[in-house]
Amino acid sequence: MMDNVSLLTLFVLSGFNETRNHQAHIFALTLLCYSFIVLVNVAFIVTVILDKNLHEPMYILLCTFCMNGLYGTAGFYPKFLWDLLSPVHGISYSGCLIQALVMYSFACSDLSIIAVKAYNRYVAICRPLQYNSIMSKQRVVLLVCFSWLTPFCMAINIVLTSRLKLCSPHIARLFCVNWIIVKLACFPADTLVNNIVAYITILIYVFHGLFIVWSYMYLIKTCVHSKENRAKFMQTCVPHLISLITFAVATLFDVLNMRIKDAKGLPQMLQNFIAI
């Protein structure tokens, strides 16, 4: 059995079984969606780079957010589009780990960037006189590096996954996710360290979420008594809140879908929708 495990070099993405009758329509919609994502994000990034008036912390952080969006979608959409046109839905072992790393780091970076944006809005509205000194160029660079590098430090999860002996090549998803690969381990006892590190990571990003919630609660409390601050909040914070809620709901459902055993009873089409 161990010899067979060592030969596992290809995963089968069985989540595509539910798309066979609609692949042409899904491909067209997905291509349109991905093209729109790339166009809008690239246009915004180029605009911020070329317009010196936009070289401010808020726009730099939004630019970082867009770059992360391009990075994350590049880890999903091209492979997804290729699979929709292909009769065989497979991915190599190394390719699966790389995709899992991209999706993992993208999601963690997203939450880190939203946390930094929340901090930026807190300083801008609650401490306007100290804003320029607190959010200096050096501080913004450090915060951007924190948003991008911390998730890769947390990516020890992927390294731990690569040491596991796997007994099945079937992934009931449209793309590779670290925890799904871990669940294919031949010996559950070997995944103990993976579980510990995963829950530590989840805890770290739960604190990110709590910081964001605290920041916006404080902002709302501050803005209630000032018409000018209410206008600032509506213009800059509401879009951030929409991003946060969208991200949090999607991530929560996906994590619950992967980790709760009862989620196996969900229809594959619904699981695909939650994952995307």
Side-chain angles (χ1 to χ4, degrees):
M1 180 178 177
M2 292 300 291
D3 291 337
N4 292 333
V5 170
S6 64
L7 296 174
L8 184 61
T9 58
L10 184 72
F11 289 107
V12 177
L13 301 173
S14 58
F16 282 92
N17 293 340
E18 297 293 324
T19 68
R20 294 186 185 279
N21 298 327
H22 310 285
Q23 285 187 342
H25 299 92
I26 296 173
F27 178 85
L29 288 172
T30 303
L31 181 60
L32 181 64
C33 180
Y34 185 44
S35 299
F36 178 76
I37 289 171
V38 172
L39 179 64
V40 170
N41 282 282
V42 169
F44 184 85
I45 292 168
V46 171
T47 301
V48 171
I49 291 174
L50 295 180
D51 191 343
K52 292 184 178 180
N53 294 323
L54 299 180
H55 291 182
E56 298 178 1
M58 184 177 74
Y59 294 106
I60 292 172
L61 293 174
L62 284 172
C63 192
T64 304
F65 199 66
C66 291
M67 290 178 180
N68 192 55
L70 290 174
Y71 164 70
T73 52
F76 169 70
Y77 279 102
K79 180 66 172 67
F80 182 62
L81 288 166
W82 175 265
D83 283 330
L84 288 172
L85 295 178
S86 174
V88 180
H89 308 125
I91 184 170
S92 67
Y93 176 80
S94 57
C96 192
L97 289 179
I98 291 172
Q99 186 177 53
L101 172 62
V102 171
M103 302 307 293
Y104 177 92
S105 56
F106 157 71
C108 292
S109 291
D110 240 20
L111 190 56
S112 294
I113 294 168
I114 293 173
V116 173
K117 285 164 65 180
Y119 175 69
N120 178 61
R121 288 297 84 203
Y122 159 75
V123 175
I125 294 176
C126 300
R127 303 176 64 181
L129 298 179
Q130 292 86 30
Y131 181 78
N132 290 329
S133 59
I134 294 175
M135 297 301 292
S136 61
K137 289 183 178 179
Q138 294 81 1
R139 179 70 59 82
V140 172
V141 170
L142 287 175
L143 290 173
V144 168
C145 290
F146 161 78
S147 302
W148 274 343
L149 297 180
T150 303
F152 283 98
C153 295
M154 296 289 104
I156 187 175
N157 292 270
I158 308 298
V159 177
L160 292 172
T161 300
S162 67
R163 70 185 173 82
L164 297 175
K165 301 297 183 181
L166 308 179
C167 281
S168 173
H170 295 282
I171 294 179
R173 303 270 296 194
L174 300 172
F175 56 91
C176 293
V177 181
N178 183 54
W179 184 246
I180 296 297
I181 304 173
V182 171
K183 290 201 293 186
L184 299 177
C186 298
F187 310 106
D190 292 344
T191 67
L192 177 62
V193 179
N194 295 74
N195 274 295
I196 293 173
V197 174
Y199 282 116
I200 290 174
T201 304
I202 290 172
L203 187 62
I204 289 171
Y205 284 95
V206 163
F207 280 117
H208 276 59
L210 292 175
F211 171 76
I212 295 168
V213 170
W214 174 83
S215 297
Y216 282 113
M217 287 181 65
Y218 196 90
L219 281 170
I220 291 170
K221 182 181 177 181
T222 303
C223 293
V224 166
H225 306 292
S226 170
K227 186 175 180 179
E228 182 182 352
N229 283 341
R230 282 201 300 271
K232 285 183 181 180
F233 181 84
M234 292 300 295
Q235 290 173 3
T236 61
C237 295
V238 170
H240 297 178
L241 281 173
I242 293 172
S243 297
L244 173 63
I245 292 169
T246 303
F247 174 85
V249 171
T251 304
L252 179 63
F253 273 103
D254 199 37
V255 170
L256 290 176
N257 180 42
M258 286 189 291
R259 288 188 171 262
I260 296 179
K261 293 181 180 180
D262 293 339
K264 290 181 179 179
L266 293 176
Q268 185 62 51
M269 190 65 78
L270 180 58
Q271 291 191 44
N272 290 346
F273 176 76
I274 292 172
I276 293 176

